[in-house]
Amino acid sequence: GNSKVDVSSEDLVSWFRHVDHVLPHTRVALSELSCSLDGHCAGTAGLESVAPSPLPSYVHLNMSCNVVVIQRGDVLSTFERAIAAFSRPMDPDYVDGDQQVDALKWEPFVDSFIGALGLSRAYTMLVLNPKWSASLPSYGYRIGFSEYELRILNDNAALPELQLGSAVRWGAEPSVPAYSDGPHTGWPLSIKKYKVSDLQHQSYNWASSARQYLSELEDYNRRVFKMLGPRTKGSAALARAATLLQRRDDLSQLLASTLKLPPQHLHNPRFPATHPLEDCPTPLWVGQRRWLMLDLTARRTDWGPALGGDGVVAHTTLPDVSFAFGSADEQRAEKRAAKGEQPEEMQMRDKLHSMRSDRLAGVAQQQAHERSMLHVVHGTAPGEVPADQLDPDGNPTGQLSEEQQDSLDKRHHEATLQAELNVYEEFATVHCAGRTNPPVICTEAADAVLDLKHSLEMISKHTGTNARARLHPTHGWDIFGREADDEATSAAYSAAKDVFFAEVSSVLSRGLRHVIAPPSATWHHQGYLHDTASPYTHQVHFTVYTIQDTSRKLGPWRERGVQFDLDSFKQQLTRLAMPHQAFSFSTLQLNLLDDPALAAAFAVSLRTSFMQLPHAVLDPVENEALYLDSRELALRLKQRFSFDSARAAASRDPHALLDVPVFIFELARDVPVLIDEHYNARALEDLILVVQNAANQDEHPTGMMCDGVLLQRPLSPLKHALSAVLQHLGGVLPPHLGYSPGRKVVQHDWLWSVGAHPLSWTSWGGQYSQMHIDALHRSYVLDAIDSSVDMVNDGIVLLQDSTPHPHAFAKTQAMRVRQQRQHTNVVSFSCSSCSSMRACTAVCAGAHKQLQEDAKLARWTMFASIQLRPDMPHQLQRSRRAVVLAWLADTD
């Protein structure tokens, strides 16, 4: 790839040894997180100490590392071609300028690659290093549109294909070949720490099918271009918008609103922020499946809190291939310059220049002949003038139309570039192929071919011509020979590679810690995890309360841009269920006008504040804002709906049922209302709050910046609501949050806060990534393990002063029977004496909780009896660990 970085499987195994593949699981007390600590504050994410000590976890996560050997040349060229096929210019006026790769097309393409290798069940880290030169444009990955494209979409809003629900005349896009894991997977998921898998055959087969798909996609793009018209500016953006409008999701709703409503309905100009459809183009991406990607050639963008803070991503955060291997490249250039002065090198250069000049002269002559015989070329008889070249009086104009002239110029430019490309490849096939240390002109020809191919790809994409067969021949880059390094260059290259691998290892280690195996959060009050964490339950019931506020008549100027999609919300929550877990839903619609108690609860919880918002140019500005106090509102809602007592009465088994109340406030007000000043959704210990504003375009920006511009909030709170549910069920934190045990602070790292999923800050998306679902399920297991360890440690404390003896065994047996009888009588008497009095409900509930604590103590008394039993084998008496395992085997 770029800078000819060559990595062997041995290098990769050594590389993996320096990645943090053994991670201690850490937890953050969610109740201790402030606004600045969780990253929601506008502007900065400061460093503050949290709890004096983190919540206990006894688990370490041990990763196994698998190096996959593939056909690198075929795979890399296929990925390079896909980047070109999926990209659009950020500014349609400059088609050769910065590009944006459509991540919605990129994700299925990468899924296909990983599925073909049989790696879908594992976590895959993809590091790309496509060929690149300084003359080629930079690119980034995003799912939205650029500012310039949005202007074109608004100007062409009347296009029939841009109407929601209308069919497109150019048909459907070709689909990516799908692969599923068969009986022979690429990684058997063995427990071997470092493994090397040879998947060259599978990767070669995938590259062949992927090239066929890309050929069909390129033909499709040319057909779209011709139907829209060769002079239609931004045709790629128009075609992509028409395709997205066929979907039924938040993206299509927002896009339709952008085309239908005036800009002020979606984007408040007093906040210098991006449009809601304009997300941040990044060189990293987290997929919907189990993979994450780092593109070393993509544009390195800045993103993170606007006013700085911990973990902000800067231009120098990611490794730079050209900079890292610049010293070795300079030595190669000096070596070529000295070698190029030799007589035989000069002769080879003259020969190539002579071939190029002769070929281009022939092409120019052919083009001149075509212009002189233009009427014959277009099928008209000699002396006959086409009708479109006549003036209103019927006289010949003597010149081509502007559209015809533009088409002819582009076709001739393509023919010139193609002739030059053929010269270089013919020369390399004869004088460079198969040679070690070929003539210097071979390396120069390879660099020229890279630029020529890019220019031809741009012409083919934006003019509708078909240069595919000549752009992607059967031979590869090996026709230009192999340049061997001398001792000094090899030493410089080896040193650069070591430093470069260390930087890439750091990036991937951060991906492991924040995306694949992130820390979790839990509500922490008593100090014991098993006393406060929400346990895994066999059934989870979501009660969704949709509370509307229609007390104000706002008029059409406050029309909502995007509605909260309740069906999508339920669909995504259903994905969180484990195989034997049942999720159920019930919905209830209320109105503040019809419920005085609910309206009073809302009014009492409403607050006013002045917040400082960052500005791209000026100093931070103050903004008056309304917000709901989440704690006050939660208290009032509990009094109004009494779901605490209903939950307690549902089952005495903590693993049977979990009831999750979700309150969605749909506010039709002329000013936005947030939760706790900065949130659109908030997860509390026993409920979830969501706010959707009709005045959502007046909500202040997120305080996150991308390339110096503030990122706007999504117009629908669906993204934040999904994130809150994930945090409520299993404490899954967003990828920018972590915990530093050494510093005892919550640390931020915004590097992997990328991708189209609810936990990302640089983009928006209404679908969970499979890695976040895995993190939730893993959280259930880790909480159960840590809770069990806490209980075992409690038992050991009770037994540490006891010795095995018949008298001790009789004593513990008598104590167990006496405690069970005494506490059963107390609880029965307390609850039966006040069963008809509502005031005694709390007393009975406390008694039941005490009875559960007594039952736990009785279980430990039984455990003590097992250890102190006089007939226990001597080996078991000496091994406390064996005793613990024996007790756990007899219990649930």
Side-chain angles (χ1 to χ4, degrees), residues 310-311 510 513-514 735-737 747-753:
D310 192 20
R510 291 154 77 177
R513 291 196 299 268
H514 289 267
H736 68 271
L737 279 179
Q747 63 179 6
H748 294 78
D749 191 346
W750 302 91
L751 182 63
W752 285 102
S753 185

Side-chain angles (χ1 to χ4, degrees), residues 502-529:
E503 295 176 351
V504 176
S505 299
S506 173
V507 173
L508 296 184
S509 294
R510 291 154 77 177
L512 283 176
R513 291 196 299 268
H514 289 267
V515 181
I516 296 178
S520 61
T522 187
W523 301 103
H524 178 52
H525 299 290
Q526 305 298 328
Y528 286 99
L529 180 65

Side-chain angles (χ1 to χ4, degrees), residues 104 107 117 132 280 318 385 500 546 613 661 811 813 828 840 858 877:
L104 291 180
E107 284 199 15
L117 300 184
W132 187 80
C280 184
L318 294 174
V385 181
F500 179 72
T546 303
L613 300 180
K811 182 179 180 181
Q813 287 289 86
S828 300
C840 294
Q877 292 183 22

Side-chain angles (χ1 to χ4, degrees), residues 83-84 87-91 94-101 137-141 281 299 454 458 461-462:
I83 291 174
S87 63
R88 306 189 309 268
M90 291 190 180
D91 187 352
Y94 301 96
V95 295
D96 291 330
D98 289 349
Q99 304 287 309
Q100 51 192 350
V101 181
S138 59
Y139 60 90
Y141 298 85
R299 175 188 178 198
H454 171 72
M458 292 296 103
K461 180 186 298 185
H462 299 289

Side-chain angles (χ1 to χ4, degrees), residues 673-855:
V673 178
L674 298 179
I675 302 174
D676 295 340
E677 296 189 85
H678 300 281
Y679 300 86
N680 290 97
R682 196 79 195 267
L684 302 181
E685 297 98 322
D686 42 16
L687 57 84
I688 296 172
L689 299 175
V690 183
V691 169
Q692 182 184 21
N693 291 296
N696 46 17
Q697 66 269 26
D698 290 332
E699 293 176 352
H700 65 76
T702 61
M704 297 295 111
M705 264 191 181
C706 175
D707 271 354
V709 182
L710 290 176
L711 294 174
Q712 186 62 279
R713 291 175 181 267
L715 292 188
S716 168
L718 175 63
K719 168 189 169 85
H720 297 120
L722 292 174
S723 176
V725 171
L726 202 60
Q727 193 175 87
H728 179 84
L729 290 181
V732 179
L733 292 173
H736 68 271
L737 279 179
Y739 186 81
S740 174
R743 298 159 59 193
K744 295 185 178 180
V745 295
V746 172
Q747 63 179 6
H748 294 78
D749 191 346
W750 302 91
L751 182 63
W752 285 102
S753 185
V754 296
H757 56 80
L759 304 186
S760 169
W761 277 89
T762 56
S763 186
W764 32 262
Q767 295 184 359
Y768 289 121
S769 171
Q770 186 61 45
M771 286 183 285
H772 301 136
I773 299 176
D774 292 347
L776 172 65
H777 296 172
R778 191 184 305 117
S779 176
Y780 290 147
V781 178
L782 301 185
D783 288 353
I785 292 175
D786 284 331
S787 298
S788 300
V789 173
D790 278 343
M791 295 178 69
V792 170
N793 289 340
D794 289 345
I796 292 176
V797 170
L798 293 176
L799 299 175
Q800 62 184 359
D801 296 330
S802 301
T803 56
H805 194 273
H807 297 294
F809 174 73
K811 182 179 180 181
T812 55
Q813 287 289 86
M815 182 177 62
R816 177 175 63 87
V817 174
R818 184 172 63 254
Q819 285 179 340
Q820 286 181 327
R821 183 185 307 111
Q822 179 181 3
H823 290 289
T824 300
N825 294 335
V826 171
V827 171
S828 300
F829 173 78
S830 300
C831 292
S832 61
S833 61
C834 61
S835 59
S836 60
M837 299 174 58
R838 186 172 182 179
C840 294
T841 303
V843 177
C844 289
H848 278 296
K849 182 177 180 181
Q850 184 62 41
L851 181 60
Q852 293 176 0
E853 295 294 327
D854 296 337

